[in-house]
Amino acid sequence: MEKSLNLVLHVWRQKNRDAKGQFVRYEAKNISEHASLLEMLDQVNEGLLEKGEEPIAFDHDCREGICGACGMIVNGHAHGPRKATTVCQLHMREFQDGEEIWIEPWRAAAFPVVRDLVVDRGSLDRIVQAGGFISTRTGSAPEANSLPVAKEKSDRAFDAAACIGCGACVAACPNAAAMLFTAAKVAHLNLLPQGEPERDTRVRNMVAQMDAEGFGHCTNHYECMEACPKHISVEFIAQLNREFMSATARARQELRPRRK
Amino acid sequence: MIKALSFSDTTIGKKVLMAVSGLVLFGFVIGHMLGNLQVFLGPKVYNDYGVALRDAPLLLWGVRILLLVSFLVHIAMAMQLSALSRAARPVGYKMRKDAITTFAARTMLYSGVLVLLFVLYHLAHFTFPGVAMGAYEHSHTGDVYSNFVNGFSIPWVVALYVAAQVALGLHIYHGAWSLLQTFGLNNPLRNATLHGGARTLALVVVVGNILLPLSVLLGLVQ
């Protein structure tokens, strides 16, 4: 038997970047327990459209938990209360009938609200542009065994590469830091031989861009790891710190070469 | 693409300076505790220790200057970084629940300020000549044992010291683990050991440091 829920929503509504937003109360009736949170919002939006009101704007794309487009703070948790789950994969059976649900956009200076629950995450793109690439030839895949990679390293690079860039780490961080995101993007390339040529410039440029975007710093609350839908480990933040220190030291050595 | 910043201009560079200065201060706290636990070995040993420190001005002033520099760096970085963090989230959440962070982590700034205020009081209490906060006249004749007993005979002074040690304990509990992370020493194979070590060290410092001011009222030191 399928259960249906009646819910009370408090959703952040904001017309544009400069407008002053506020929470608006909506009633969501007859919501299937099998609906995702986004499908629940779709239903609410249909009701709003019928009444001639503006629907609630939110980002979404694949709705399979792998694209990183969706994301919002649901009842105080990034992507909602369920661990390692994006909000598109969060089902309404996680909630009780009659429950009040507060929905807010990601909050960070580097993530300005565009409209309602949609924020501009271009700052994350610019961090990737600063160094999240490799200079080796792309195109057809090379012979797999021509470039051996240790199992442990390829596993860890894969763990880091699982980052979908949704921004939940920034949203959950008490300092609005993008350390987990930057750490994952640096680690996934710096762990592999393909990423070796730009290893040092990558970490230095990406950290510089991260700071320039106005993200906060890491004070080891580890809220990012807890909020991450891909459960990326804060171990990568330690690796980022390590890579950054040694890259800076090597850059200094190059500036002042030793005489023989 | 923007040019790479100089090390101390980056948030990570500032964190490293924070961690290095914190490590110096943490090291001092342990040495200070070990030195003062000698009070339990009797007046002779404790007074000899005090005199030995006074008779080694190079060591004494070397350490004092190192500590002062570390304090200044630590405080300057804390102010800069916390200002950056405040600016990073100008609009807060209506409902935001922390999931796994600790009380110690959330209150680092407050425990840090409390420790700083306590250090100033502590210096006025025992070190600065001519000041006697804690309502007793301390002698500068080398009888540090008597100073210790006199200083900690007053219950409100003892209470203040114990409270300050709790703040210090919270601060170094989070700090000890955090600096390992800043130095990049997070590794799943050794994390349990490192985390446990940081916790134990913080606990030892708190217990040792609380034992000292309580010792007179408990009658362990007379």
Side-chain angles (χ1 to χ4, degrees), chain A residues 244-245 252, chain B residues 6-25 69-78 80-81 179 182-183:
Chain A
F244 183 73
M245 281 187 279
R252 284 203 181 152
Chain B
S6 80
F7 189 66
S8 60
D9 282 338
T10 62
T11 46
I12 296 181
K14 289 183 205 295
K15 290 295 295 183
V16 172
L17 289 175
M18 191 102 193
V20 171
S21 55
L23 189 60
V24 170
L25 296 169
V69 170
S70 299
F71 255 113
L72 292 176
V73 169
H74 205 69
I75 293 165
M77 291 304 118
Q80 289 183 18
L81 286 169
L179 70 87
T182 301
F183 290 144

Side-chain angles (χ1 to χ4, degrees), chain A residues 45-86:
Chain A
N45 276 345
E46 275 172 31
L48 289 176
L49 283 167
E50 276 169 22
K51 282 194 280 179
E53 289 177 31
E54 278 288 326
I56 301 161
F58 59 90
D59 264 330
H60 62 103
D61 191 15
C62 75
R63 300 212 178 189
E64 292 181 331
I66 52 157
C67 76
C70 67
M72 51 196 78
I73 299 280
V74 180
N75 278 352
H77 297 283
H79 285 301
R82 195 181 165 85
K83 266 193 183 186
T85 307
T86 54

Side-chain angles (χ1 to χ4, degrees), chain A residues 87-106:
Chain A
V87 76
C88 63
Q89 291 290 298
L90 180 74
H91 291 94
M92 298 314 292
R93 49 182 169 269
E94 302 285 332
F95 299 91
Q96 305 292 322
D97 188 32
E99 196 172 336
E100 287 197 36
I101 304 177
W102 290 80
I103 303 178
E104 307 174 58
W106 291 165

